[in-house]
Amino acid sequence: MSMNDAELAAHLAEVSGQILLQVRASGMLSLKALGKAGDATANQFLVHALREQRPDDGLLSEEEKDNPVRLEKSRVWIVDPVDGTREYGEARTDWAVHVGLAIDGVATIGAVALPGLGVVLRTDAPTTVPAAPEKLRMVVSRTRPAKEATDVAERIGAELVPMGSAGAKAMSIIRGEADIYLHSGGQYEWDSCAPAAVALAHGLHVSRIDGSPLVYNQADVYMPDLLICRKEHADRILGEIAQLA
């Protein structure tokens, strides 16, 4: 099966989501075991498929031991088999599968599947982002909202929208469910590579919370923070963050 990079990302994200739904529907696993089994099963499919389809590229997965050889590569696939394991186990819809490709450190191509909604958002098929309402909405963690996010939301009069996975939060802006995703609690490259690529393809602003770019395929895969929002809101949000700092 010959596919370009964007088609491959979308196909792998969609199939992984279907696998995860089947694992959950089996009824064979309790909540904790379900999360582990889902992660492991989806990861095995993704890494084997990518190694066969793109053998010359690097690979970084949350569920796979890191191979430093990727640092020598220009093209590196960065995947999160289940972003939002808790939400997946609880049969919520706010979990995702991330398949991203960073080229020279930039999140360039990717797909984010939202299997609970039957949706795959991708870099090669951007849709129109709905207009923002008068009262902006800031999507935050449903269990541990970042202080910077809640402080900025209070300063600009934004409504807080609790949600699960990072991918679901980022895609909520594209889907018109929220307007700002500000995170400062720390993540890893696999949490944001595919969502960042998809957000950029939809014309959104994507950066660190100091306005600097997100850089991928680093030796240290920790990423402290990010901001995803409509471009017309970026300067205001970055300004508020700077004042709080």
Side-chain angles (χ1 to χ4, degrees), residues 5-155:
D5 292 330
E7 291 168 342
L8 179 62
H11 181 65
L12 294 182
E14 182 174 15
V15 173
S16 297
Q18 293 170 352
I19 291 170
L20 287 160
L21 291 174
Q22 290 180 345
V23 170
R24 192 173 65 193
S26 71
M28 296 289 100
L29 300 160
S30 62
L31 183 61
K32 187 173 181 179
L34 176 59
K36 291 182 178 179
D39 271 327
T41 304
N43 182 68
Q44 284 297 303
F45 167 70
L46 284 171
V47 299
H48 283 290
L50 283 167
R51 285 173 180 151
E52 179 165 330
Q53 297 296 320
R54 297 293 188 271
D56 296 328
D57 293 350
L59 176 62
L60 173 66
S61 170
E62 179 181 14
E63 301 302 322
E64 193 85 351
K65 184 178 179 180
D66 190 11
N67 185 346
V69 171
R70 67 178 172 80
L71 298 173
E72 304 168 8
K73 306 283 188 177
S74 169
R75 292 165 45 93
V76 179
W77 292 87
I78 301 177
V79 302
D80 191 344
V82 185
D83 182 60
T85 306
R86 176 176 176 177
E87 287 76 18
Y88 163 68
E90 293 177 353
R92 293 172 57 93
T93 59
D94 50 346
W95 57 281
V97 178
H98 300 174
V99 181
L101 174 62
I103 301 177
D104 296 328
V106 178
T108 304
I109 291 170
V112 177
L114 303 173
L117 299 173
V119 171
V120 179
L121 294 102
R122 45 198 287 181
T123 50
D124 63 337
T127 58
T128 301
V129 177
E134 185 174 342
K135 184 179 179 67
L136 296 181
R137 301 155 297 175
M138 181 177 291
V139 65
V140 294
S141 169
R142 69 187 185 99
T143 57
R144 50 187 187 283
K147 186 177 187 301
E148 287 82 357
T150 56
D151 287 349
V152 170
E154 183 176 355
R155 290 170 70 102

Side-chain angles (χ1 to χ4, degrees), residues 173-195:
I173 300 173
I174 296 171
R175 289 168 51 80
E177 300 167 341
D179 309 294
I180 305 158
Y181 176 28
L182 192 169
H183 181 82
S184 59
Q187 294 179 336
Y188 295 91
E189 291 190 14
W190 47 75
D191 291 310
S192 66
C193 182

Side-chain angles (χ1 to χ4, degrees), residues 165-218:
S165 83
K169 293 187 188 79
M171 297 305 97
S172 71
I173 300 173
I174 296 171
R175 289 168 51 80
E177 300 167 341
D179 309 294
I180 305 158
Y181 176 28
L182 192 169
H183 181 82
S184 59
Q187 294 179 336
Y188 295 91
E189 291 190 14
W190 47 75
D191 291 310
S192 66
C193 182
V198 175
L200 287 166
H202 283 76
L204 297 179
H205 169 91
V206 179
S207 73
R208 295 279 306 278
I209 63 172
D210 63 359
S212 62
L214 300 172
V215 182
Y216 295 89
N217 194 33
Q218 301 297 294

